[in-house]
Amino acid sequence: MASQGEAVDEQEEQALRLQRMETRLVDGLFEHPGILPRSREHQLRYAIALAGLDTFQPGAARRGRRLKRAEVEVRTPRLERWRRQVLDGLGAPLLQIKDSRERVLTASARLAPWLLQMSRARQEVLERYASDFTERQLDQELGIKTLVSVAGGGGGAGYVYIGAWDVLQAAGLVPAYVVGASMGAVIGLFRARARAGDFDSYMRVARALRAEDIFQFVSLRTRFGFPGLMRLFLHGTLGRIFEREDGTPMALADLEIPFDTIVAGIRRGALEESPQQYAQSHHLHEDQRPGRLQLRARVAVQLVRLAGFINPRVVKQIVVGADPATRDFNAVDAAGFSAAIPGLLHYDMTRDDPHMESLLVDLMEREEVVALVDGGVANNVPAGPAWRQVRQGRIGTRNAAIVAFDSFHPQASHLLMQPITRIVALQVALNERYAHHRIEFHPTLSPLNLLPEPEDLERAVAWGRESMAQELPRLQKLFERVKWVEPKVPGRKK
């Protein structure tokens, strides 16, 4: 008899297989427009969606967010047989046939004799759960694809995300959930502030940032973060933007779009030195800004050491916002800790905030970590955590597409970072299976260009728009509304 863990793993593998099947189908339909009648397109996509039906919150798909009503776990004999039939019968052509035209035509031919079985499986679900959801709510769950945005880390390279989200919003694609790591957490925080993103205001904020306000050379005791060459201060510049109407700081739960950040926790005993000893032995936490050449040399040394932190034995992934306790995190702090590059940027609590201090103490005790650092060293493009949160009901609907932004990959503007980008690329590969679509942005600014000049910022945003404009038609095909098309049965009267 399979253990509970094995059962969960099997369910995850089934869900991921269906996801890959859908993606391969949509790619074929996009590459060969008109290859099938629209009715058959809908039937193929509905067939896969029905096979993936498990648990959902009725009405959430239409509203694009979680509602205050119970979720429904759907289990019927015909549905289970349908799932097996789709996984086995459609899985082979969709996943194994390389030619996209042949792939689509073969899948369509396979489905044709099964349409009545699909209709009966759907009808059994509607009859058994008539008191839980309506036919319309079922078809909304299976037919409305919800956007989940994953924003990867990349320092200054991540400014392209501003342009990318602007293009998506103009096309009517607004994320229902955002997950960010490192710079993706900082920029993602702005995207999650409101469903209708004000990208002009984001640019005004970015242009107004000054290095002397954001990065300071001050010696302060390490409390929850890890020491670095510079101290990262975000509350002074971003705090007023993320305030409630009464002037109190926003928590993650106050953002209009659900938002989680990835933070890396340094495991107890993983390093030979404590954070304070590390600061002393590596000449960090000095009060004076080093000279230009000295600063460059120290940055280069810390970049080499940074590779040692990209190791699951050293750090563990923590999803801040994934549970009710961390959802009460101060929103700016959640992004700040996620962007704190170990040895380079130190983010910490420098204000009197007993509630936030209590949350941090509890979190570090629960996770058994000694410091919180850049989420990118644990998971730089966190499609996996986003996918699992959706499966666990974060946004009510399970019919979501994970679109991952990746700006930190080997390219010409990242020459100094090549050793690290290659290590991170291996980490990203492990998460790629969870994303419906991962976009590698290029060109980008250098990751080290954390506060670009206005003209560089404008270029980066324009590059983001250009990259997303190229990807948009394929994404629009993925997010097309899928309708239930009743199969035509000879001799049956409508």
Side-chain angles (χ1 to χ4, degrees), residues 55-69 71 141 144-149 174-179 195 256-260 321-322 327 385-402 479:
T55 302
F56 74 104
Q57 190 180 55
R62 183 180 69 84
R63 297 293 294 274
R65 59 183 174 84
R66 189 167 178 81
L67 308 174
K68 292 182 178 179
R69 63 175 298 172
E71 293 198 325
E141 172 64 19
I144 298 176
K145 185 73 70 180
T146 299
L147 171 62
V148 171
S149 279
V174 175
Y177 177 37
V178 178
V179 179
R195 287 185 58 83
E256 286 191 11
I257 298 176
F259 176 59
D260 295 343
R327 219 160 284 162
W387 188 89
R388 290 193 177 94
Q389 283 296 109
V390 170
R391 296 291 297 175
Q392 292 168 19
R394 187 75 164 90
I395 55 175
T397 179
R398 273 40 169 204
N399 190 8
I402 313 291
F479 285 98

XYZ file of all heavy atoms in Angstrom, residues 55-69 71 141 144-149 174-179 195 256-260 321-322 327 385-402 479:
461
model
N -9.436 19.436 -6.774
C -10.033 20.284 -5.737
C -10.035 21.719 -6.237
O -9.070 22.160 -6.865
C -9.223 20.193 -4.433
O -9.165 18.830 -4.013
C -9.841 21.037 -3.335
N -11.109 22.455 -5.982
C -11.141 23.864 -6.374
C -12.185 24.600 -5.567
O -13.020 23.992 -4.886
C -11.400 24.019 -7.878
C -12.830 23.748 -8.302
C -13.689 24.789 -8.613
C -13.304 22.446 -8.419
C -14.994 24.550 -9.033
C -14.598 22.180 -8.825
C -15.457 23.248 -9.133
N -12.131 25.907 -5.654
C -13.088 26.758 -4.961
C -14.052 27.327 -6.006
O -13.648 28.150 -6.835
C -12.362 27.897 -4.242
C -13.239 28.694 -3.305
C -12.450 29.800 -2.626
O -11.833 30.617 -3.280
N -12.472 29.823 -1.300
N -15.288 26.887 -6.030
C -16.227 27.359 -7.050
C -16.326 28.888 -7.064
O -16.454 29.532 -6.019
C -17.558 26.728 -6.618
C -17.155 25.489 -5.873
C -15.902 25.878 -5.141
N -16.213 29.471 -8.246
C -16.305 30.920 -8.413
C -14.976 31.637 -8.428
O -14.884 32.767 -8.902
N -13.922 30.997 -7.921
C -12.624 31.670 -7.830
C -12.035 31.946 -9.211
O -11.395 32.972 -9.427
C -11.651 30.833 -7.003
N -12.232 31.037 -10.154
C -11.665 31.228 -11.488
C -12.233 32.477 -12.152
O -11.498 33.256 -12.770
C -11.932 29.999 -12.349
N -13.524 32.678 -12.016
C -14.153 33.851 -12.637
C -13.712 35.141 -11.971
O -13.456 36.150 -12.630
C -15.679 33.742 -12.582
C -16.400 34.895 -13.283
C -17.899 34.733 -13.190
N -18.390 34.925 -11.839
C -18.663 36.114 -11.285
N -18.471 37.221 -11.975
N -19.120 36.193 -10.051
N -13.589 35.121 -10.659
C -13.206 36.336 -9.922
C -11.699 36.592 -9.955
O -11.256 37.689 -9.653
C -13.679 36.225 -8.469
C -15.187 36.129 -8.306
C -15.895 37.409 -8.714
N -15.548 38.496 -7.829
C -16.166 38.762 -6.668
N -17.159 37.970 -6.268
N -15.803 39.775 -5.931
N -10.926 35.582 -10.276
C -9.483 35.750 -10.330
C -8.834 35.872 -8.969
O -7.727 36.408 -8.839
N -9.476 35.342 -7.951
C -8.923 35.397 -6.597
C -9.688 34.417 -5.701
O -10.759 33.921 -6.059
C -9.028 36.804 -6.012
C -10.440 37.346 -5.919
C -10.460 38.775 -5.397
N -11.786 39.355 -5.439
C -12.726 39.196 -4.519
N -12.464 38.418 -3.463
N -13.901 39.762 -4.618
N -9.128 34.184 -4.535
C -9.742 33.289 -3.565
C -10.963 33.959 -2.936
O -10.966 35.162 -2.682
C -8.720 32.913 -2.494
C -9.193 31.821 -1.575
C -8.081 31.245 -0.721
N -8.613 30.239 0.169
C -8.860 28.991 -0.186
N -8.571 28.593 -1.411
N -9.366 28.125 0.652
N -12.004 33.174 -2.684
C -13.251 33.680 -2.109
C -13.462 33.110 -0.714
O -12.768 32.184 -0.294
C -14.432 33.295 -3.008
C -14.309 33.668 -4.492
C -15.483 33.102 -5.268
C -14.235 35.177 -4.656
N -14.451 33.636 -0.028
C -14.786 33.135 1.307
C -15.862 32.066 1.185
O -17.023 32.265 1.530
C -15.257 34.287 2.198
C -14.170 35.292 2.542
C -14.675 36.383 3.477
C -13.554 37.354 3.839
N -14.032 38.441 4.731
N -15.455 30.931 0.662
C -16.373 29.795 0.575
C -15.550 28.519 0.566
O -14.338 28.542 0.341
C -17.266 29.882 -0.666
C -16.552 29.842 -1.992
C -17.535 29.803 -3.151
N -18.367 28.609 -3.119
C -19.406 28.404 -3.923
N -19.748 29.329 -4.810
N -20.118 27.288 -3.850
N -13.884 24.920 -0.287
C -13.383 24.245 -1.466
C -14.082 22.893 -1.605
O -14.605 22.345 -0.625
C -11.873 24.044 -1.368
C -11.093 25.351 -1.417
C -9.638 25.125 -1.756
O -9.087 24.092 -1.314
O -9.050 25.955 -2.466
N -14.026 26.908 -13.995
C -12.798 26.350 -13.425
C -11.962 25.653 -14.504
O -10.737 25.771 -14.510
C -13.136 25.365 -12.303
C -11.950 24.584 -11.760
C -10.898 25.441 -11.087
O -11.202 26.597 -10.708
O -9.761 24.958 -10.939
N -11.157 28.769 -17.656
C -10.473 30.051 -17.454
C -9.082 29.792 -16.903
O -8.919 29.246 -15.816
C -11.269 30.955 -16.485
C -12.648 31.288 -17.072
C -10.484 32.235 -16.198
C -13.527 32.093 -16.127
N -8.099 30.189 -17.655
C -6.705 30.031 -17.230
C -6.269 31.306 -16.513
O -6.408 32.416 -17.035
C -5.815 29.771 -18.446
C -4.368 29.479 -18.134
C -4.192 28.108 -17.544
C -4.438 27.021 -18.571
N -4.271 25.676 -17.992
N -5.732 31.147 -15.305
C -5.336 32.285 -14.479
C -3.819 32.461 -14.513
O -3.072 31.498 -14.406
C -5.806 32.068 -13.022
O -7.240 31.963 -13.013
C -5.385 33.219 -12.131
N -3.382 33.707 -14.645
C -1.953 34.017 -14.732
C -1.313 34.071 -13.353
O -1.791 34.761 -12.448
C -1.745 35.366 -15.427
C -0.316 35.944 -15.411
C 0.661 35.026 -16.131
C -0.302 37.345 -16.023
N -0.211 33.346 -13.192
C 0.646 33.440 -12.009
C 2.018 33.896 -12.493
O 2.614 33.264 -13.370
C 0.753 32.090 -11.282
C 1.812 32.147 -10.184
C -0.596 31.701 -10.692
N 2.500 35.001 -11.943
C 3.791 35.566 -12.348
C 4.872 35.181 -11.357
O 4.715 35.391 -10.152
C 3.717 37.094 -12.430
O 3.142 37.526 -13.636
N -3.580 40.110 -16.177
C -3.217 40.610 -14.848
C -2.954 39.415 -13.943
O -3.811 38.527 -13.827
C -4.341 41.486 -14.259
C -4.012 41.904 -12.822
C -4.553 42.718 -15.127
N -1.796 39.355 -13.303
C -1.526 38.187 -12.453
C -2.465 38.121 -11.253
O -2.789 39.141 -10.644
C -0.072 38.395 -12.006
C 0.200 39.855 -12.186
C -0.671 40.292 -13.330
N -2.881 36.913 -10.927
C -3.683 36.683 -9.729
C -2.801 36.359 -8.545
O -3.274 36.311 -7.403
C -4.667 35.548 -9.966
N -1.516 36.144 -8.801
C -0.578 35.739 -7.754
C 0.818 36.029 -8.288
O 1.116 35.768 -9.453
C -0.771 34.250 -7.464
C 0.148 33.593 -6.467
C 0.602 34.244 -5.311
C 0.538 32.264 -6.656
C 1.418 33.593 -4.407
C 1.346 31.603 -5.742
C 1.788 32.281 -4.620
O 2.596 31.627 -3.722
N 1.663 36.616 -7.428
C 3.033 36.945 -7.808
C 3.983 36.345 -6.780
O 3.745 36.446 -5.576
C 3.259 38.479 -7.880
C 4.714 38.800 -8.225
C 2.325 39.114 -8.911
N 5.040 35.700 -7.266
C 6.086 35.177 -6.396
C 7.415 35.740 -6.895
O 7.702 35.676 -8.093
C 6.131 33.638 -6.414
C 7.256 33.122 -5.518
C 4.797 33.062 -5.956
N -3.971 45.707 -8.448
C -4.255 44.917 -9.650
C -4.029 45.745 -10.910
O -3.481 45.252 -11.893
C -5.691 44.389 -9.610
C -5.901 43.258 -8.619
C -7.314 42.695 -8.720
N -7.635 42.213 -10.050
C -7.298 41.007 -10.518
N -6.628 40.167 -9.730
N -7.637 40.627 -11.730
N -3.076 44.052 -3.029
C -4.256 43.640 -3.797
C -4.049 42.304 -4.495
O -4.989 41.538 -4.682
C -4.619 44.721 -4.821
C -5.258 45.952 -4.201
C -5.840 46.892 -5.243
O -5.930 46.501 -6.434
O -6.221 48.014 -4.876
N -2.815 42.020 -4.905
C -2.494 40.735 -5.528
C -1.728 39.894 -4.515
O -0.733 40.372 -3.947
C -1.640 40.935 -6.798
C -2.422 41.737 -7.847
C -1.214 39.591 -7.377
C -1.625 42.063 -9.089
N -2.152 38.670 -4.236
C -1.384 37.817 -3.322
C 0.079 37.761 -3.761
O 0.374 37.553 -4.940
C -2.077 36.457 -3.465
C -3.471 36.778 -3.868
C -3.362 37.994 -4.748
N 0.975 37.927 -2.789
C 2.395 38.056 -3.103
C 3.224 37.323 -2.066
O 3.048 37.516 -0.866
C 2.768 39.547 -3.109
C 4.228 39.824 -3.332
C 4.882 39.393 -4.474
C 4.957 40.547 -2.393
C 6.234 39.665 -4.678
C 6.302 40.827 -2.588
C 6.929 40.379 -3.741
N 4.105 36.453 -2.547
C 5.038 35.747 -1.672
C 6.456 36.045 -2.135
O 6.708 36.255 -3.331
C 4.820 34.229 -1.731
C 3.473 33.802 -1.186
O 2.839 34.606 -0.473
O 3.057 32.665 -1.474
N 4.986 34.361 3.179
C 3.650 34.635 2.676
C 2.858 33.375 2.414
O 1.658 33.431 2.164
N 3.524 32.229 2.504
C 2.859 30.958 2.193
C 1.935 30.484 3.303
O 1.102 29.606 3.078
C 3.900 29.882 1.899
N 2.262 35.756 6.294
C 1.449 36.678 5.496
C 1.274 37.998 6.230
O 0.897 39.008 5.632
C 0.088 36.042 5.205
C -0.449 36.315 3.805
C -1.491 35.309 3.424
N -0.891 34.028 3.078
C -1.534 32.882 3.038
N -2.811 32.834 3.338
N -0.912 31.768 2.714
N 7.798 26.588 -5.984
C 6.975 27.054 -4.859
C 5.655 27.675 -5.310
O 4.620 27.464 -4.675
C 7.869 28.088 -4.180
C 9.257 27.691 -4.542
C 9.163 27.115 -5.928
N 5.681 28.435 -6.410
C 4.447 29.044 -6.909
C 3.448 27.960 -7.320
O 2.262 28.028 -6.988
C 4.754 29.957 -8.094
N 3.932 26.955 -8.036
C 3.070 25.864 -8.498
C 2.442 25.126 -7.314
O 1.237 24.845 -7.308
C 3.908 24.903 -9.348
C 3.144 23.832 -10.048
C 2.586 23.897 -11.290
C 2.854 22.515 -9.549
N 1.963 22.698 -11.607
C 2.122 21.831 -10.558
C 3.149 21.850 -8.365
C 1.680 20.519 -10.398
C 2.709 20.536 -8.213
C 1.980 19.881 -9.213
N 3.248 24.833 -6.305
C 2.726 24.089 -5.149
C 1.730 24.926 -4.353
O 0.738 24.396 -3.842
C 3.883 23.633 -4.267
C 4.717 22.536 -4.918
C 5.669 21.875 -3.934
N 6.392 20.789 -4.583
C 7.580 20.909 -5.142
N 8.205 22.096 -5.107
N 8.168 19.883 -5.723
N 1.975 26.221 -4.246
C 1.024 27.081 -3.538
C -0.317 27.129 -4.253
O -1.373 27.140 -3.617
C 1.606 28.493 -3.388
C 2.655 28.619 -2.291
C 2.069 28.340 -0.920
O 2.340 27.317 -0.290
N 1.239 29.230 -0.435
N -0.288 27.163 -5.567
C -1.538 27.123 -6.326
C -2.265 25.804 -6.074
O -3.470 25.779 -5.835
C -1.265 27.312 -7.837
C -2.526 27.027 -8.655
C -0.769 28.729 -8.112
N -1.522 24.707 -6.087
C -2.127 23.392 -5.844
C -2.726 23.301 -4.441
O -3.684 22.562 -4.214
C -1.083 22.283 -6.021
C -0.520 22.147 -7.406
C -1.507 21.645 -8.411
N -1.971 20.300 -8.109
C -2.920 19.664 -8.791
N -3.513 20.271 -9.805
N -3.280 18.437 -8.474
N -2.158 24.047 -3.504
C -2.650 24.025 -2.124
C -3.773 25.032 -1.877
O -4.247 25.165 -0.753
C -1.490 24.284 -1.169
C -0.472 23.137 -1.141
C 0.807 23.499 -0.426
O 0.840 24.466 0.351
N 1.875 22.748 -0.674
N -4.189 25.736 -2.929
C -5.359 26.603 -2.807
C -5.083 28.075 -2.587
O -5.976 28.810 -2.178
N -3.892 28.534 -2.889
C -3.530 29.935 -2.629
C -4.475 30.918 -3.290
O -4.779 31.974 -2.738
C -2.088 30.180 -3.104
C -1.523 31.560 -2.752
C -1.173 31.621 -1.287
N -0.302 32.735 -0.980
C -0.710 33.947 -0.634
N -2.006 34.196 -0.557
N 0.159 34.899 -0.361
N -4.959 30.592 -4.512
C -5.842 31.515 -5.220
C -7.192 30.877 -5.541
O -7.953 31.413 -6.352
C -5.178 32.049 -6.504
C -4.717 30.915 -7.412
C -4.029 32.975 -6.168
C -4.149 31.375 -8.752
N -7.493 29.749 -4.919
C -8.796 29.111 -5.099
C -8.864 28.224 -6.315
O -9.117 27.027 -6.205
N -8.648 28.784 -7.491
C -8.614 27.972 -8.709
C -7.294 27.215 -8.789
O -6.268 27.684 -8.288
C -8.778 28.861 -9.961
O -8.715 28.026 -11.118
C -7.682 29.902 -10.051
N -7.336 26.042 -9.436
C -6.097 25.299 -9.713
C -5.713 25.401 -11.184
O -4.658 24.928 -11.580
C -6.271 23.821 -9.362
C -5.984 23.400 -7.931
C -6.443 24.310 -6.870
N -6.350 23.704 -5.537
C -7.084 24.080 -4.510
N -7.976 25.053 -4.666
N -6.938 23.511 -3.326
N -6.572 26.015 -11.967
C -6.320 26.132 -13.402
C -5.520 27.405 -13.670
O -6.034 28.411 -14.155
C -7.627 26.148 -14.181
C -7.413 26.024 -15.674
O -6.295 25.782 -16.140
N -8.473 26.175 -16.435
N -4.243 27.349 -13.329
C -3.369 28.516 -13.461
C -2.177 28.176 -14.336
O -1.750 27.022 -14.414
C -2.884 28.973 -12.081
N -1.642 29.193 -14.996
C -0.432 29.025 -15.800
C 0.691 29.823 -15.144
O 0.546 31.024 -14.892
C -0.655 29.501 -17.228
N 1.794 29.152 -14.870
C 2.955 29.791 -14.263
C 3.827 30.356 -15.374
O 4.380 29.604 -16.191
C 3.786 28.776 -13.438
C 2.888 27.926 -12.535
C 4.887 29.479 -12.673
C 2.253 28.658 -11.404
N -3.845 31.473 -22.790
C -4.877 32.009 -21.895
C -6.241 32.164 -22.572
O -7.145 32.752 -21.982
C -4.418 33.353 -21.318
C -3.363 33.208 -20.253
C -2.020 33.365 -20.560
C -3.714 32.893 -18.954
C -1.042 33.220 -19.593
C -2.744 32.739 -17.972
C -1.404 32.906 -18.296
